[in-house]
């Protein structure tokens, strides 16, 4: 599958008038604007280690949490791609030190503690009857669970399971009690104070949240402004769809549309239209500067990386059609259960389905799909080999194997590039 630059029929709008067409250079600038904003064009854009991880989350605005562990989990993988010397324990430390907190963004996520107030609209909506996971929550059970935590301290869902096995059925029965626990979390009465491994430890919000945190619920306009600023900062671009991604709130969408239109009219933002019809805005003058240079490296990204999570935007900007297939029935998968996108310089050049065998410390590349039209194979494979060495270390594996390569004529080259690693 080819990965060409954007075609030249991309148009720029100032207000409502089309003023010019884009060149290949403009297309390149858009890709590099997005990648620079995402922290994917430089070796340590946010710093290193613990402070780098904190800076990255604050800049990106969220870090999606996912439980799939075919390879290292998504939240760790995203930071590995941007923060040298990152390790998984750093997230738990940031959480326990109240630099970040867990809640729902467009999905479960680690969020900057300074953004806590922007979690309140959804919490209040759930409290007022909007359904997240469960309809008609058991209020009596919820009250009893709060009192248990108030008296006995923090709790994990496995503690409820253990009590159920020990005491039998009743109000402490596993399913309703776990629902009550999650409902309290979604309503904001409980927070995750820390994690034991991947297990969340819940405590009363009043005991977790520092006093200095702003708890003022934002207006709809303030919330829209916050989301727009976050998108422009972390993606370099924004659209009505991307800035309100998976937020089913008509008033928020209406406010976002009005803010974008006002800022475009006032020339604080510039509006463009991609070949796929997607409209987006960038900060005024965003394309006036010289496009940053790229490093000759391959980056192996998570399927939940914020640069790839919105499929329409990814296809419009990078001409890369990508979908995570772990939720697709096996018979309908094209590329595999958990294919990882491959970014080379400023282009997506393939994907690989792989699995970590933890007992044997072996990283298996089940299938490697390369899309290298116009790219020097040897140069790419040298960069890929170096990235695989780093990725293998991140996965705590000792060796790597590859089973299938497409196109097939590249298999021997890929094998030779990897054999020197083991």
């Amino acid at each position: 599958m080819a990965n060409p630059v954007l075609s030249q029929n991309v148009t720029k709008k100032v207000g409502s008038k089309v003023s010019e067409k884009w060149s290949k250079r403009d297309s390149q600038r858009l890709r590099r604007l997005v990648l620079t904003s995402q922290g994917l064009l430089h070796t340590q854009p946010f710093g290193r280690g613990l402070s780098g991880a904190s800076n990255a989350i604050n800049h990106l605005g969220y870090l999606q949490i996912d439980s799939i562990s075919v390879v290292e989990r998504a939240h760790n993988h995203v930071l590995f791609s941007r923060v040298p010397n990152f390790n998984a324990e750093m997230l738990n430390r940031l959480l326990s030190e109240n630099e970040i907190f867990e809640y729902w963004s467009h999905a479960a996520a680690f969020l900057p503690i300074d953004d806590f107030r922007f979690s309140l609209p959804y919490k209040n909506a759930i409290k007022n009857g909007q359904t997240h996971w469960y309809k008609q929550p058991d209020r009596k059970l919820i009250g009893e669970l709060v009192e248990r935590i108030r008296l006995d301290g923090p709790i994990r869902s496995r503690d409820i399971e253990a009590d159920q096995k020990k005491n039998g059925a009743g109000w402490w029965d596993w399913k309703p009690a776990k629902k009550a626990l999650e409902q309290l979390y979604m309503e904001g009465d409980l927070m995750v104070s820390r994690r034991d491994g991947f297990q969340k430890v819940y405590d009363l919000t009043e005991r977790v949240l520092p006093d200095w945190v702003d708890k003022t619920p934002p207006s709809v306009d303030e919330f829209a402004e916050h989301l727009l600023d976050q998108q422009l900062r972390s993606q370099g671009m924004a659209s009505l769809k991307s800035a309100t991604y998976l937020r089913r709130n008509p008033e928020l969408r209406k406010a976002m549309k009005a803010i974008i239109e006002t800022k475009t009219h006032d020339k604080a933002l510039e509006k463009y239209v991609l070949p796929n019809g997607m409209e987006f805005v960038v900060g005024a003058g965003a394309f006036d500067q010289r496009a940053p240079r790229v490093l000759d490296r391959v980056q192996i990204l998570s399927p939940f990386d914020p640069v790839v999570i919105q499929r329409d935007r990814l296809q419009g900007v990078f001409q890369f059609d990508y979908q995570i297939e772990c939720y697709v029935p096996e018979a309908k998968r094209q590329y595999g259960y958990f294919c990882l996108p491959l970014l080379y310089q400023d282009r997506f050049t393939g994907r690989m389905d792989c699995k970590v065998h933890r007992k044997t410390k072996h990283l298996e590349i089940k299938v490697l799909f390369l899309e290298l039209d116009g790219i020097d194979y040897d140069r790419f494979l040298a960069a890929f080999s170096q990235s695989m060495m780093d990725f293998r270390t991140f996965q705590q594996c000792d060796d790597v194997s590859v089973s299938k390569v497409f196109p097939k004529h590249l298999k021997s080259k890929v094998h030779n590039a990897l054999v020197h690693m083991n």
Side-chain angles (χ1 to χ4, degrees):
M1 188 180 298
N3 184 14
V5 296
L6 293 178
S7 63
Q8 295 185 28
N9 65 344
V10 181
T11 57
K12 174 181 177 181
K13 289 186 176 182
V14 179
S16 60
K17 297 180 180 179
V18 175
S19 64
E20 63 181 277
K21 291 181 180 294
W22 271 18
S23 65
K24 285 185 177 182
R25 171 169 284 188
D26 295 321
S27 302
Q28 181 190 78
R29 284 179 177 178
L30 175 59
R31 296 196 305 274
R32 295 188 184 184
L33 173 65
V34 170
L35 294 173
T36 300
S37 301
Q38 274 288 302
L40 289 170
L41 274 196
H42 301 96
T43 55
Q44 45 181 312
F46 306 114
R48 305 171 68 85
L50 185 68
S51 63
S54 179
N55 293 337
I57 296 170
N58 277 284
H59 178 85
L60 297 172
Y62 81 96
L63 185 65
Q64 185 168 338
I65 302 169
D66 195 78
S67 60
I68 297 174
S69 57
V70 174
V71 295
E72 184 59 67
R73 289 187 172 97
H75 40 283
N76 295 324
H77 191 163
V78 170
L79 291 180
F80 160 76
S81 300
R82 293 162 172 82
V83 181
N85 292 354
F86 168 77
N87 66 66
E89 182 52 35
M90 290 176 183
L91 276 174
N92 202 32
R93 183 171 168 186
L94 292 174
L95 184 64
S96 62
E97 293 177 357
N98 291 312
E99 290 197 40
I100 59 176
F101 72 104
E102 284 194 39
Y103 194 61
W104 198 261
S105 180
H106 69 269
F110 292 112
L111 304 165
I113 196 67
D114 288 342
D115 291 350
F116 178 82
R117 64 188 293 249
F118 297 105
S119 70
L120 296 176
Y122 195 58
K123 290 172 180 174
N124 292 336
I126 300 297
K127 227 171 219 187
N128 291 327
Q130 181 173 315
T131 299
H132 182 77
W133 297 121
Y134 310 117
K135 296 180 180 179
Q136 300 178 329
D138 186 334
R139 288 295 159 190
K140 181 176 182 295
L141 178 57
I142 283 174
E144 292 172 337
L145 185 56
V146 168
E147 190 61 22
R148 151 84 187 259
I149 295 170
R150 189 180 304 281
L151 294 174
D152 296 344
I155 195 170
R156 304 167 299 177
S157 60
R158 73 164 57 164
D159 296 327
I160 298 174
E161 185 178 20
D163 278 5
Q164 191 274 329
K165 289 178 179 177
K166 183 168 58 179
N167 300 326
W171 83 268
W172 212 232
D173 182 56
W174 162 244
K175 287 186 179 179
K178 186 174 186 296
K179 287 180 181 180
L181 188 67
E182 292 183 356
Q183 184 72 17
L184 282 164
Y185 169 67
M186 292 308 303
E187 291 182 3
D189 293 308
L190 298 183
M191 289 182 68
V192 177
S193 61
R194 68 179 193 278
R195 280 184 176 252
D196 288 343
F198 197 63
Q199 276 276 315
K200 291 184 282 191
V201 180
Y202 298 93
D203 201 354
L204 300 178
T205 294
E206 63 199 54
R207 297 200 294 227
V208 176
L209 193 64
D211 292 338
W212 54 263
V213 172
D214 189 352
K215 307 170 188 68
T216 309
S219 67
V220 174
D221 286 344
E222 284 179 310
F223 194 18
E225 189 90 42
H226 165 73
L227 292 174
L228 179 60
D229 289 346
Q230 183 187 95
Q231 282 284 300
L232 291 170
R233 179 185 71 243
S234 65
Q235 296 285 352
M237 60 183 289
S239 68
L240 178 60
K241 182 177 180 179
S242 70
T244 57
Y245 182 60
L246 296 185
R247 296 179 187 272
R248 297 173 179 86
N249 183 331
E251 290 301 312
L252 178 64
R253 185 178 176 86
K254 182 179 178 181
M256 182 69 72
K257 184 177 181 180
I259 290 172
I260 290 175
E261 288 177 351
T262 298
K263 289 180 178 288
T264 302
H265 181 269
D266 294 343
K267 298 185 180 180
L269 298 176
E270 296 172 354
K271 185 178 289 186
Y272 297 84
V273 183
L274 292 177
N276 66 351
M278 186 185 84
E279 290 191 357
F280 70 95
V281 292
V282 298
F287 295 116
D288 293 343
Q289 302 176 17
R290 179 179 296 178
R293 299 181 66 180
V294 295
L295 298 175
D296 198 42
R297 65 174 178 174
V298 173
Q299 288 171 279
I300 303 162
L301 300 181
S302 167
F304 297 101
D305 195 287
V307 80
V308 302
I309 199 66
Q310 295 189 35
R311 190 177 185 185
D312 290 346
R313 182 179 61 197
L314 181 67
Q315 190 167 20
V317 176
F318 293 95
Q319 296 291 284
F320 186 64
D321 187 11
Y322 174 80
Q323 177 185 19
I324 184 172
E325 295 184 343
C326 56
Y327 308 117
V328 175
E330 185 173 1
K332 295 183 178 180
R333 291 175 192 153
Q334 289 183 276
Y335 299 106
Y337 179 78
F338 205 67
C339 261
L340 312 181
L342 303 179
L343 177 69
Y344 176 57
Q345 297 182 350
D346 64 358
R347 292 173 55 181
F348 284 91
T349 52
R351 58 202 93 196
M352 67 176 187
D353 185 33
C354 52
K355 177 180 175 61
V356 172
H357 299 273
R358 290 181 172 82
K359 289 185 178 180
T360 58
K361 294 187 175 183
H362 176 68
L363 175 58
E364 176 193 7
I365 303 174
K366 293 183 173 182
V367 194
L368 176 64
F369 299 90
L370 297 177
E371 302 159 25
L372 300 178
D373 288 8
I375 292 176
D376 182 277
Y377 294 162
D378 293 332
R379 188 174 176 183
F380 169 85
L381 289 173
F384 177 69
S385 176
Q386 180 60 53
S387 295
M388 283 302 305
M389 289 179 66
D390 297 336
F391 191 67
R392 179 188 68 184
T393 300
F394 172 58
Q395 301 297 336
Q396 300 182 50
C397 290
D398 295 330
D399 51 40
V400 180
S401 66
V402 57
S403 299
K404 296 181 181 179
V405 177
F406 294 97
K408 292 180 180 180
H409 69 85
L410 289 178
K411 183 172 183 179
S412 61
K413 283 181 174 287
V414 171
H415 178 77
N416 290 338
L418 296 179
V419 74
H420 300 295
M421 294 171 43
N422 296 324

